[in-house]
């Protein structure tokens, strides 16, 4: 079983890697057959109990409603969205018409990562309360006319029995996929394995994270990386470097040799991730690993993010966890940044030398980029990415294991000036920039993800009992 999974990881990573740079990929490369949200779910699928709730001949939506036919209508929608649920195992898929029926699924409900309820008709109150006794993260989807129960869902959320309950009230059936996002993110955290290339392991925080979220952490020494690096054929490194060079608008500072060494390290770190069956890799590039490796890991980080894994700068553990949460919620990578403020425009400029070209996710169209040096060091090779102006974004950071701080905004510019780091986005903040900097806490870094993920974060934090703080209000 172990070897089979490892082989799958390697084959899938190779297939996606060829497409990571867009048109510069070899034409023979193929995408993986399954559209998984991210590789962390290749370790195990998200277990969801899907239950349809209804009572025969209920007054709403109509006494003539055929519950079985209504269920099948929804099942067709799930089939249409099969890619959205490719990483999901529906361990229960049943129509429930009475509280007594719930006992039939008791063991499977206990083992599920979470529960998805589809409200079909009036009269489901006692059924719902019976399900909530299992204390699993539970999302309920209710379309208009399902019934009058929505009128007390808000009160239920504030009661102890509803502590792990939330709902989406909408006619948009695509929200069925949105409903499982917080459950998927919880699963991702629990299944994730983070590798940390550094000389001083972060053992205390790693233990706290393991106990709180289930995330595995392993420190990797320099010698192991170097041994793998030496085994990478030069021909593979040259081919990888050529893909990056061909896909770039231009190469500014780094030499061809620098890019080849960076790509050889990228392939070595990918092999390390594969060997460990891990999902995220950090490098203490400005600390204990500064100039201790054959190259900087910046291209490797971009490449890993493009593949749906995680490449994290400066061994920033909190940013790594935030990256995993974003991937679990929406299947998109995060952009770690060192911010600076421009209050005259109600903007925050988010900057880091390492950018990610596939901010829309592994199957998205790559952004244009240049190959540059690291601004602060004036050496190395990094990917300067020009993100999408007009794009809504969410910035967040998990602090410790008890709170997430965040804010939202819109990209209004991608400054191309030789100040600050190479990749930059100017974000007009939703809220007050003065309050943002006055409320700022927990260090410099924030992680940016495409989309307004406020509701997703609220549900995730609710289920994980984390405090969510909007820094801009």
């Amino acid at each position: 079983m172990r070897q089979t999974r490892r082989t799958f990881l390697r084959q899938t990573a190779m297939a996606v890697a060829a497409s990571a740079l867009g048109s510069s990929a070899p034409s023979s490369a193929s995408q993986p057959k399954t559209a998984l949200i991210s590789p962390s779910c290749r370790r195990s699928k998200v277990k969801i109990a899907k239950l349809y709730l209804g009572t025969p001949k209920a007054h709403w939506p109509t006494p003539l409603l055929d519950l079985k036919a209504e269920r099948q209508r929804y099942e067709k929608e799930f089939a249409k969205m099969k890619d959205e649920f490719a990483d999901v195992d529906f361990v229960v898929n049943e129509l429930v018409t009475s509280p007594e029926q719930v006992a039939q699924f008791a063991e499977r409900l206990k083992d599920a990562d979470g529960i998805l309820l589809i409200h079909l008709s009036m009269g489901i109150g006692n059924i719902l309360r019976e399900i909530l006794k299992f204390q699993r993260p539970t999302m309920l989807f209710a379309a208009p006319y399902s019934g009058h129960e929505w009128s007390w869902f808000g009160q239920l959320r504030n009661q102890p029995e509803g502590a792990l309950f939330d709902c989406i009230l909408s006619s948009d059936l695509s929200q069925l996929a949105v409903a499982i996002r917080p459950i998927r993110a919880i699963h991702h955290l629990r299944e994730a394995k983070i590798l940390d290339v550094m000389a001083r392991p972060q053992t205390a925080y790693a233990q706290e994270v393991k106990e709180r979220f289930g995330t595995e952490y392993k420190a990797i020494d320099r010698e192991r990386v170097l041994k793998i690096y030496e085994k990478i054929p030069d021909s593979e490194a040259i081919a990888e470097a050529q893909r990056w060079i061909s896909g770039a608008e231009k190469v500014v500072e780094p030499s061809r040799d620098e890019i080849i060494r960076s790509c050889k390290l990228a392939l070595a770190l990918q092999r390390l991730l594969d060997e460990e069956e891990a999902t995220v890799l950090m490098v203490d590039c400005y600390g204990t690993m500064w100039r201790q490796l054959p190259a900087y890991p910046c291209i490797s980080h971009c490449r890993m993010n493009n593949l749906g894994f995680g490449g994290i700068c400066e061994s920033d553990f909190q940013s790594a966890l935030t990256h995993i949460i974003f991937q679990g919620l929406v299947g998109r990578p995060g952009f770690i940044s060192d911010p600076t403020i421009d209050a005259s425009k109600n903007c925050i400029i988010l900057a880091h030398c390492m950018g990610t070209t596939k901010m829309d996710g592994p199957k998205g169209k790559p952004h244009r980029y240049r190959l540059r040096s690291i601004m602060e060091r004036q050496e190395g090779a990094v990917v300067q990415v020009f993100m999408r102006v007009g794009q809504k974004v969410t910035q967040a950071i998990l602090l410790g294991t008890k709170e997430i701080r965040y804010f939202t905004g819109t990209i209004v510019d991608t400054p191309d000036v030789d100040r600050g780091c190479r990749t930059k986005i100017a974000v007009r903040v939703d809220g007050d920039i003065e309050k943002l900097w006055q409320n700022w806490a927990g260090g410099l870094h924030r992680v940016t993800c495409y989309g307004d993920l406020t509701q997703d974060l609220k549900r995730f934090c609710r289920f994980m009992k984390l405090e969510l703080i909007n820094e801009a209000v």
Side-chain angles (χ1 to χ4, degrees):
M1 173 65 181
R2 181 178 177 84
Q3 183 61 34
T4 300
R5 186 167 65 192
R6 180 173 292 174
T7 300
F8 176 72
L9 276 167
R10 183 180 291 113
Q11 291 174 344
T12 304
M14 290 174 63
V16 182
S19 66
L21 298 178
S23 60
S24 60
S27 59
S28 61
S30 61
Q31 289 283 345
K33 293 180 180 179
T34 54
L36 297 172
I37 297 300
S38 108
S40 57
C41 282
R42 293 176 193 155
R43 295 168 69 96
S44 68
K45 287 194 172 186
V46 188
K47 294 181 179 179
I48 299 290
K50 178 170 56 174
L51 298 175
Y52 293 89
L53 310 186
T55 56
K57 298 183 180 180
H59 295 300
W60 274 53
T62 167
L64 303 178
L65 182 70
D66 183 334
L67 292 175
K68 292 183 179 180
E70 185 72 355
R71 176 190 174 189
Q72 287 306 309
R73 183 174 75 87
Y74 277 96
E75 284 294 297
K76 289 179 180 178
E77 292 299 322
F78 278 101
K80 290 177 184 177
M81 295 186 287
K82 63 181 181 179
D83 285 352
E84 298 285 341
F85 299 102
D87 61 337
V88 175
D89 183 6
F90 288 111
V91 294
V92 182
N93 185 3
E94 300 287 346
L95 171 64
V96 183
T97 58
S98 70
E100 292 74 24
Q101 271 185 276
V102 177
Q104 300 174 22
F105 322 119
E107 291 305 315
R108 286 184 286 168
L109 291 179
K110 290 177 184 177
D111 292 339
D113 291 305
I115 302 171
L116 174 61
L117 306 177
I118 296 102
H119 186 188
L120 300 183
S121 78
M122 281 180 68
I124 56 91
N126 290 333
I127 304 174
L128 174 58
R129 287 194 166 94
E130 196 65 29
I131 293 168
L132 293 181
K133 290 179 182 179
F134 290 93
Q135 287 295 291
R136 306 305 297 152
T138 301
M139 287 295 300
L140 181 146
F141 178 87
Y145 310 108
S146 297
H148 299 326
E149 282 83 358
W150 69 266
S151 60
W152 50 267
F153 286 163
Q155 298 173 47
L156 180 60
R157 290 174 74 256
N158 296 322
Q159 296 171 5
E161 65 178 323
L164 296 180
F165 170 70
D166 213 335
C167 13
I168 295 177
L169 312 180
S170 175
S171 62
D172 180 4
L173 298 187
S174 70
Q175 294 294 298
L176 290 164
V178 173
I180 68 165
R181 286 178 178 178
I183 302 169
R184 178 187 282 119
I186 294 169
H187 178 91
H188 275 219
L189 272 181
R190 188 178 65 249
E191 291 290 292
K193 181 177 181 180
I194 300 174
L195 304 183
D196 189 6
V197 181
M198 74 131 57
R200 293 191 297 269
Q202 305 179 61
T203 52
Y205 185 51
Q207 183 59 35
E208 183 181 351
V209 167
K210 177 69 174 177
E211 292 173 357
R212 182 72 168 84
F213 304 121
T215 313
E216 187 177 350
Y217 169 89
K218 183 174 181 178
I220 303 293
D221 61 31
R222 172 178 176 267
E223 286 67 30
R224 184 171 174 192
V225 174
L226 293 178
K227 285 179 181 178
I228 299 174
Y229 178 88
E230 292 302 326
K231 293 179 181 178
I232 300 296
D234 288 342
S235 59
E236 291 185 16
I238 291 170
E240 181 72 15
Q242 189 55 49
R243 281 194 287 268
W244 285 97
I245 292 169
S246 298
E249 281 187 343
K250 59 182 175 179
V251 178
V252 185
E253 296 89 359
S255 67
R256 181 178 177 82
D257 177 67
E258 183 78 54
I259 297 169
I260 291 172
R261 284 187 286 108
S262 296
C263 289
K264 189 169 183 175
L265 180 62
L267 296 175
L269 293 176
Q270 175 67 53
R271 185 170 295 181
L272 173 64
L273 203 75
D274 181 13
E275 289 179 0
E276 290 289 336
E277 294 181 349
T279 53
V280 174
L281 185 138
M282 309 187 292
V283 179
D284 191 23
C285 46
Y286 274 13
T288 60
M289 288 298 115
W290 184 43
R291 291 183 173 174
Q292 298 301 303
L293 299 174
Y296 284 92
C298 309
I299 287 179
S300 173
H301 290 339
C302 178
R303 184 175 180 276
M304 291 217 186
N305 291 344
N306 282 351
L307 295 175
F309 293 101
I312 308 299
C313 310
E314 302 172 53
S315 287
D316 186 341
F317 206 158
Q318 295 183 144
S319 289
L321 294 167
T322 308
H323 178 98
I324 293 168
I325 292 168
F326 279 151
Q327 278 192 325
L329 290 175
V330 292
R332 296 191 285 270
F335 166 60
I336 298 172
S337 63
D338 295 333
T340 187
I341 300 293
D342 185 354
S344 68
K345 298 179 181 177
N346 205 54
C347 281
I348 184 169
I349 301 169
L350 306 169
H352 231 222
C353 280
M354 195 287 293
T356 295
T357 60
K358 289 204 165 186
M359 289 295 290
D360 288 305
K363 290 191 175 236
K365 183 179 178 182
H367 292 313
R368 64 187 181 92
Y369 68 92
R370 299 170 186 167
L371 294 178
R372 304 292 307 271
S373 65
I374 298 171
M375 188 282 300
E376 294 161 292
R377 307 291 180 176
Q378 295 292 300
E379 59 185 356
V382 302
V383 185
Q384 179 188 14
V385 177
F386 295 89
M387 297 187 205
R388 183 185 305 121
V389 173
Q391 174 66 51
K392 199 77 172 180
V393 290
T394 300
Q395 292 76 35
I397 192 71
L398 171 71
L399 293 186
T401 59
K402 295 182 179 178
E403 73 177 55
I404 289 179
R405 304 180 76 89
Y406 87 104
F407 59 95
T408 61
T410 302
I411 299 175
V412 294
D413 191 17
T414 55
D416 185 18
V417 295
D418 286 330
R419 291 174 181 262
C421 300
R422 298 300 189 192
T423 298
K424 293 182 276 288
I425 51 175
V427 175
R428 182 174 295 124
V429 174
D430 296 330
D432 188 337
I433 194 70
E434 298 290 341
K435 290 182 179 178
L436 176 61
W437 71 258
Q438 291 166 18
N439 290 334
W440 198 274
L444 189 61
H445 281 174
R446 292 294 184 270
V447 183
T448 301
C449 189
Y450 276 8
D452 184 344
L453 308 186
T454 301
Q455 294 304 316
D456 296 300
L457 286 174
K458 284 181 177 178
R459 294 174 189 129
F460 172 79
C461 288
R462 177 178 181 80
F463 291 157
M464 291 301 295
K465 295 181 171 56
L466 291 165
E467 183 179 7
L468 182 63
I469 298 169
N470 188 332
E471 297 178 297
V473 299

